[in-house]
Amino acid sequence: HWTELGFDDDYAEAMASFLEDLKKKTCQLRDGGYCGHVGLSWECNDEDEERRMLHNDCLLPHWQEFVDALQLYSHSEASDVFSISNVQLPSVVLDMLVPAIQEKSFKALELCRNAFVNDSDGVQFAIKFIQNNPSLDKFMWDGNPIDSENVDDLAVAVNYLPSLNEISLDNCCGNNVNGYNLLQSLLSRNNNLVAIDLDSNNIRTMGGTYLSDFLALNPPLQVLHLENNHLNDSDAAFIANSLNQNTNLSSIFLGGNEITDIGCNALRNATFDSGSLNSAADSNHTCSINKIGLDGDAYNLFAESKLNRAGKIYSILSSRNTQGSNVYHLNLELGDASLKIAPLVLDCLARSAASGGSSYRPVTLSILYEVLRSWKMPSLYETGCQRN
């Protein structure tokens, strides 16, 4: 049937698999058992990632069977996910789906790389889904365009979801829409989000600091994707400054932006200022900055900030050890307090030798030997004897 309509064999094979999956999912819903993932995805074997399943009126009876089964489906335990990917959804199909999704209490909505006759049709369907499923904790709208007229409507609907903690709007704003407005709308009303993905959304801050100001408030946000936008060195500097007040953000992705070495250096210093032990200790020890070619991609890899902090201090001490300058810098940086802090430094080095693995031990022992040989040891020994 599909080859007679002019489609190639890959498309026909993908259609056969989709219809088989649609039938299987319909039967599963009719059986009444728990269906955790109500999902449909069209996958073609060719290399064209932009290819979608196009609508044909001969598919309407299949859609109707699926919708009827979904509308009748009832289970005491809420389904986790409702998803449709790579499928063209005309208004006639969307109108069929709307009554079927009411009061189903899905936890996640994932609509990815679909095609709509009008962009507003898809957005309005998403809004109706959100309004009928207030318990959503995840909303994904990847690869679906949003025009400037619908940005605020979608953001308002999303922001009134009390349990939402993860949102992905990857590649939604075209060149005529500045994704920064969308970002502002999401951050302005929703303080519960722990993950935001706004990759490839034409984000230009134009010098605005809303994002960095938000991060400086230390919200619960843990993961932020902002790759392939138009962030520049000024934005990087603002983000770097905000990390000094943030201990919750664990990962930020900034690849594919307009950030040069200047911005990279600002971000690197935010996560590891190697100028002194004090500046290293005062750096951010929770956030990993990814995909911009930083050595800092290797910083803050541990979930426990104490381990990240210890690794940076060790890095400075080991670097100075090659020049035999640890004692000089310790006296310079710690001053009169060096005698009191000496036992803590020695303890830290000893624990590093014990837990750092075989590759760390030779360098750690070398640092320990350097410090024991030259730094405050007579005064420290004399103080210990007096106390005893």
Side-chain angles (χ1 to χ4, degrees):
H1 173 77
W2 301 106
T3 53
E4 291 176 357
L5 292 177
F7 295 101
D8 58 29
D9 291 339
D10 287 334
Y11 187 94
E13 183 179 344
M15 285 302 306
S17 298
F18 176 81
L19 290 174
E20 181 64 26
D21 187 48
L22 181 63
K23 179 181 178 181
K24 186 182 299 183
K25 190 65 66 175
T26 300
C27 293
Q28 185 180 0
L29 291 169
R30 289 193 183 279
D31 288 342
Y34 175 65
C35 187
H37 185 180
V38 182
L40 298 170
S41 180
W42 185 82
E43 303 292 343
C44 192
N45 292 327
D46 64 16
E47 297 180 356
D48 186 0
E49 296 181 356
E50 299 298 322
R51 203 171 191 183
R52 306 287 185 269
M53 187 195 88
L54 301 179
H55 175 71
N56 189 291
D57 284 346
C58 71
L59 298 172
L60 289 177
H62 299 278
W63 279 116
Q64 190 63 60
E65 290 290 331
F66 172 74
V67 167
D68 290 343
L70 179 59
Q71 193 162 12
L72 293 173
Y73 174 73
S74 178
H75 196 276
S76 58
E77 187 175 354
S79 297
D80 292 327
V81 182
F82 180 88
S83 68
I84 300 179
S85 301
N86 296 322
V87 175
Q88 185 181 40
L89 297 171
S91 57
V92 61
V93 175
L94 294 175
D95 291 341
M96 293 165 62
L97 286 169
V98 168
I101 59 175
Q102 293 180 355
E103 300 179 1
K104 295 301 180 184
S105 299
F106 287 100
K107 299 177 183 178
L109 170 62
E110 299 177 359
L111 296 174
C112 303
R113 300 174 301 280
N114 303 115
F116 305 99
V117 176
N118 296 306
D119 294 345
S120 59
D121 291 343
V123 173
Q124 292 305 313
F125 171 76
I127 291 174
K128 291 176 182 177
F129 191 104
I130 290 170
Q131 292 171 342
N132 286 291
N133 291 269
S135 60
L136 279 179
D137 57 29
K138 179 181 179 181
F139 176 65
M140 181 180 290
W141 183 263
D142 289 355
N144 293 318
I146 304 174
D147 57 37
S148 57
E149 298 177 357
N150 292 303
V151 166
D152 289 338
D153 292 340
L154 183 61
V156 169
V158 167
N159 284 333
Y160 283 104
L161 288 171
S163 59
L164 186 70
N165 55 49
E166 183 176 352
I167 185 168
S168 179
L169 300 170
D170 189 342
N171 191 25
C172 295
C173 297
N175 292 329
N176 62 331
V177 179
N178 187 348
Y180 187 57
N181 298 329
L182 177 60
L183 176 61
Q184 284 182 290
S185 297
L186 293 175
L187 299 181
S188 64
R189 299 184 183 91
N190 199 320
N191 292 322
N192 299 320
L193 291 171
V194 297
I196 298 176
D197 186 345
L198 287 176
D199 288 347
S200 305
N201 272 297
N202 193 38
I203 295 176
R204 302 174 186 269
T205 66
M206 309 299 288
T209 62
Y210 197 95
L211 172 60
S212 55
D213 292 343
F214 176 80
L215 294 177
L217 296 175
N218 202 23
L221 186 66
Q222 297 175 13
V223 180
L224 179 60
H225 288 261
L226 293 172
E227 292 186 73
N228 301 316
N229 285 291
H230 299 284
L231 303 178
N232 55 32
D233 289 337
S234 294
D235 300 315
F238 288 135
I239 292 172
N241 288 334
S242 70
L243 293 180
N244 292 327
Q245 290 83 43
N246 191 296
T247 58
N248 288 324
L249 190 67
S250 60
S251 296
I252 184 169
F253 296 80
L254 296 171
N257 281 285
E258 299 165 7
I259 300 174
T260 69
D261 289 344
I262 296 174
C264 288
N265 286 334
L267 292 166
R268 180 185 294 109
N269 287 333
T271 55
F272 183 17
D273 186 344
S274 59
S276 69
L277 292 176
N278 286 330
S279 64
D282 291 337
S283 300
N284 179 288
H285 303 303
T286 57
C287 183
S288 175
I289 302 172
N290 303 283
K291 301 294 184 70
I292 59 172
L294 280 182
D295 294 338
D297 284 1
Y299 305 150
N300 298 336
L301 297 181
F302 296 104
E304 190 173 347
S305 61
K306 290 182 179 180
L307 294 177
N308 294 323
R309 180 175 178 269
K312 296 167 191 177
I313 293 176
Y314 169 83
S315 177
I316 293 176
L317 293 176
S318 61
S319 176
R320 292 174 178 175
N321 177 249
T322 60
Q323 302 174 353
S325 62
N326 268 313
V327 172
Y328 168 77
H329 283 100
L330 288 169
N331 287 327
L332 182 66
E333 293 171 16
L334 302 179
D336 294 338
S338 59
L339 184 59
K340 296 180 180 179
I341 296 176
L344 300 178
V345 174
L346 294 174
D347 178 62
C348 177
L349 290 170
R351 284 188 285 109
S352 297
S355 61
S358 58
S359 61
Y360 285 83
R361 286 171 189 167
V363 178
T364 304
L365 292 174
S366 178
I367 300 170
L368 189 61
Y369 172 74
E370 177 192 358
V371 173
L372 284 171
R373 183 184 63 179
S374 308
W375 185 50
K376 300 290 183 181
M377 288 307 105
S379 299
L380 187 62
Y381 178 77
E382 181 180 346
T383 302
C385 290
Q386 291 175 353
R387 288 180 178 175
N388 289 336

